[in-house]
Amino acid sequence: MRKLFVGAAAALFLLATAVRADAGPRRVLLLFSYEREFSHFTFARLFRPALARSSRDPIDFIEVTLQSVRGSRSESEATILDHLRGTLGNGPVDLVVPIGGPAAAFAQQHRAELFHETPILFAAVDSRFIERGALSPNETAVMARNDPTLALESMLRLLPDTRTVLMVIGASKLEQFWLEELKRVFHPFERRVTFIWTNQLSMAELLARAGSLPPHSAIFYGILTMDATGAPQMEESALDALHAAANAPMFGLHSHQLGHGIIGGPLLSLDDLGRDTTAVALRLLAGEPPTQIQPRTLVAGTPTFDSRELRRWGIPDRQLPAGSVIEFREAPAWRRQGAIAAVAAVAVAQTAVVIALAVALRRRRAHPAPPAEGWDVGSAEAALTRLTHRLMHAHEKERASIARAIQDDVCQQLVGLTLRLQALGTPPEGPRGEQHARIQELCDQFSALQRAIFAISDPLNPRLQTLGLVASARLFCERLRAEHRLDLDFRGGTVSARVPEAAALAIFRVLQESLDNVVAHAGASRVTVALGERQGGIELEVADDGVGFDPDAAIRGTAVGLVAIRERLRDAGGTCTFDSRPGAGTRILARIPL
């Protein structure tokens, strides 16, 4: 169902791409409920780079924090409103994304005065804070439905002897809401277990209590952003500290808590929440009205558990619900030792092969005469093909790694520096001075640098996963047509969402290589691209009316691009036909059976 939803999102996203060929960066306002180091930061770390990678256009993120953890607001509401007006006054905002319940309430309260015409996407907010009837025509939402009762029932099924539950919850205003909600939904369980609420404990007291619980106890991690002394708490650090101190097993609500000490259970996936929110954001940025996008609510998924915690607390796999996923499994000792021995053996063998090759090469140079029956050309070609495929896989892996590093780290640091410069350059009152003008110039240079870095980072893999093969190919053709003023006609058919990732990547790389050759060598006045499924396979056809060439002579010569096309398709189990002759244009037909 998710693949169908993302496919529909990608199709609708393409409706407005033709008119955006020369558009500048899109401005997306992220409204955080609390300081981004605390609540909802994990979601933002997933959503922001995913949207930046998947968007056709560069994105300038504007991040505003509405309140601190300690109080209801870090500044007066009037100060926050003035800051937002000043920020929004620098240019139009294409999308507003409030993250969390307090930010959602603020955005709805001040929509008319701040962003009357701007679409709003409520994200990472519990559905208790937003009712469908409360959304205006210019709003939609991707919500979560936290279900503490489901998590508690899962805990008691695994540990039926539990008599005491330490309920970890903080003391902020948001946590006061959840305290009352948890007490309400857990009331039916009070005859079975005793609940200890931690909202009046300091972090030190909480750790001490977690380490001295009576037998048959468990810990339920709800939400902890501020302890009773007013000290802010970061979730991962708090979980790790509890895990180290606790003398009882710990349970939680969200997938990102797995690996930080919780046993597991039916967890809400922030990866899914970020992916679905990205898909909706792309549709809104493409101009689709929010009224056409139904609000969505994600719930806990397949029960998932940490094998290390199961082993620590003596919970056998047979007690888990049917279909459960177990992560962090460790290989048996004999297998790890065998793997080490295998690696060592491979290293020794490779060393021996290198030495043997060096000796053989020296002898061949000394006695270069070929054997009587000639060289084994077939074996040499096969070995070269295998080496080529290994190099291609390594190259793709390295490209993806570099792209992630550039977009998730370098570009985001540039955005952060730009926002800090903007804050420094905004005068409290009066006209802008010379200093502000210089700072604004620096901001523009940072934004231009970010867009340039993003443009060369090759964010292909996440785009293929989010938009699909046809949508990604269409976007590439549209951009190439705008950059080089090509008369390029793209005809996209239907391609199944179940296409293997390797096949989609191979077809897209063939498209890139083919069109690069057209731009560099063909001198064509018209190009057509057709992509779709046909007779049980994916077919790509790239045809132009350019100068043409002799394919056999080119492949025997220096046409590395044609060889790369052929080898990519061969590696994916496909075939390729080059139909061309001098003066008669070129037609490249690539096919991968499914």
Side-chain angles (χ1 to χ4, degrees), residues 280-464:
V280 174
L282 289 172
R283 296 169 68 183
L284 293 172
L285 288 173
E288 184 175 352
T291 52
Q292 296 183 10
I293 305 176
Q294 285 292 324
R296 308 194 65 218
T297 301
L298 276 70
V299 298
T302 302
T304 307
F305 298 91
D306 186 330
S307 66
R308 299 165 300 182
E309 298 304 314
L310 293 173
R311 185 169 60 254
R312 177 186 179 187
W313 300 107
I315 301 174
D317 292 359
R318 63 176 180 273
Q319 285 186 223
L320 305 181
S324 294
V325 176
I326 302 179
E327 296 188 356
F328 306 108
R329 286 190 184 274
E330 295 183 0
W334 63 267
R335 185 174 296 174
R336 293 197 300 270
Q337 293 169 358
I340 294 172
V343 170
V346 169
V348 171
Q350 287 180 335
T351 303
V353 169
V354 170
I355 294 172
L357 287 174
V359 172
L361 181 59
R362 179 172 295 181
R363 290 176 177 173
R364 182 172 298 175
R365 286 175 177 173
H367 308 283
E373 298 180 358
W375 301 108
D376 187 352
V377 178
S379 298
E381 286 186 345
L384 180 60
T385 296
R386 290 193 297 271
L387 177 60
T388 302
H389 294 171
R390 291 177 62 185
L391 289 173
M392 285 181 174
H393 288 301
H395 182 56
E396 289 294 348
K397 185 176 180 180
E398 189 65 19
R399 287 172 94 171
S401 176
I402 292 173
R404 284 193 299 270
I406 289 176
Q407 296 158 29
D408 295 355
D409 185 12
V410 178
C411 284
Q412 295 311 317
Q413 289 188 45
L414 287 174
V415 172
L417 289 173
T418 304
L419 294 174
R420 292 180 183 180
L421 282 172
Q422 288 175 342
L424 289 173
T426 303
E429 57 185 13
R432 297 181 179 182
E434 182 180 348
Q435 180 182 3
H436 176 63
R438 288 199 301 268
I439 291 177
Q440 187 59 47
E441 183 181 354
L442 285 174
C443 291
D444 295 340
Q445 291 175 2
F446 268 113
S447 295
L449 179 60
Q450 177 206 351
R451 291 193 294 273
I453 293 174
F454 183 83
I456 65 173
S457 66
D458 188 29
L460 176 58
N461 293 75
R463 184 170 293 173
L464 282 174

Side-chain angles (χ1 to χ4, degrees), residues 40-43 45-46 221 235-236 239 253-262 267-271:
H40 307 112
F41 179 49
T42 302
F43 167 81
R45 283 190 303 186
L46 296 170
Y221 189 94
E235 183 174 75
E236 290 186 359
L239 280 165
L253 292 167
H254 300 134
S255 60
H256 66 278
Q257 297 169 346
L258 209 66
H260 289 278
I262 70 167
L267 305 175
L268 184 69
S269 172
L270 288 195
D271 289 321

Side-chain angles (χ1 to χ4, degrees), residues 108 122 126-143 145 290-291 293-298:
Q108 288 188 313
F122 298 108
D126 191 277
S127 58
R128 294 169 178 83
F129 289 92
I130 296 181
E131 299 297 335
R132 283 198 181 185
L135 293 178
S136 76
N138 218 23
E139 298 172 346
T140 190
V142 179
M143 299 170 284
R145 184 71 182 182
T291 52
I293 305 176
Q294 285 292 324
R296 308 194 65 218
T297 301
L298 276 70

